[in-house]
Amino acid sequence: MNPTMATLGLTGGLLHVVNHAVFKSLLFLGAGSVLHATGTGELDRLGGLLKRMPVTGATFLIGAAAISGLPPLNGFVSEFLIYLGAIAGLGGHARSAPAWPLMSVLVVGGLALIGGLAAACFTKAFGIVFLGEARSDEAAHAQEAGAAMRWPMVVLAGLCVLIGLAAPLWPQVLQPAVAAILRRT
């Protein structure tokens, strides 16, 4: 086993679990805020909500960019660590385990495909819901949610940014957990 690959991949994987909890919670809260404001979850009946719900729109956009793995947000950091681990699997150990380089290429390709599909999906969702003109009376009369619904979204969006900007700290912070897991294998 390549220790660099294992350490980077496991660090990225652990951070990615935390990141998913943060940005998926943010996206679910954003969807809930839209549902609360409009009374509908049908995307075709929405539109133009960014003008009426700027906090929800801005935080949803941050969550969408984070889940797509775009820098400088949290999803990028964990995916980057996983990429580095996969790339570390390409070098040095081909003679002892010929499958590692192939698996590394598949991991990198798979992550790139998933990131691209997520970016396309959330670009479309954000555009349909928040941009353009209202496509129904519900959307035309929507109002921003109250503070009790807005603040959790703001905090989670802030965490997406903070975790991303603190990227150099995460390998050190997660090192004890990674070391404990690797000792067991």
Side-chain angles (χ1 to χ4, degrees), residues 16-168:
H16 210 57
V17 168
V18 172
N19 289 341
H20 266 266
V22 174
F23 54 62
K24 282 190 176 179
S25 296
L26 172 57
L27 291 167
F28 277 116
L29 288 174
S33 181
V34 168
L35 180 62
H36 180 316
T38 64
T40 183
E42 294 181 46
L43 295 181
D44 294 337
R45 297 186 51 79
L46 301 172
L49 293 182
L50 190 59
K51 297 173 199 166
R52 294 164 191 82
M53 303 176 72
V55 173
T56 300
T59 57
F60 190 91
L61 183 60
I62 290 170
I67 201 169
S68 299
L70 298 177
L73 302 171
N74 60 343
F76 173 77
V77 175
S78 54
E79 285 190 18
F80 184 69
L81 289 169
I82 295 169
Y83 275 117
L84 288 178
I87 291 168
L90 290 172
H93 294 281
R95 287 188 204 125
S96 61
W100 286 117
L102 175 62
M103 288 173 43
S104 294
V105 168
L106 291 174
V107 166
V108 169
L111 283 174
L113 177 64
I114 290 166
L117 290 173
C121 169
F122 282 99
T123 297
K124 181 178 180 181
F126 182 82
I128 290 172
V129 174
F130 292 102
L131 301 179
E133 294 298 322
R135 292 183 205 89
S136 68
D137 286 339
E138 295 96 341
H141 295 98
Q143 294 181 356
E144 186 71 79
M149 289 181 80
R150 281 193 320 263
W151 279 108
M153 292 186 292
V154 170
V155 168
L156 290 169
L159 281 173
C160 287
V161 174
L162 184 63
I163 291 170
L165 294 178

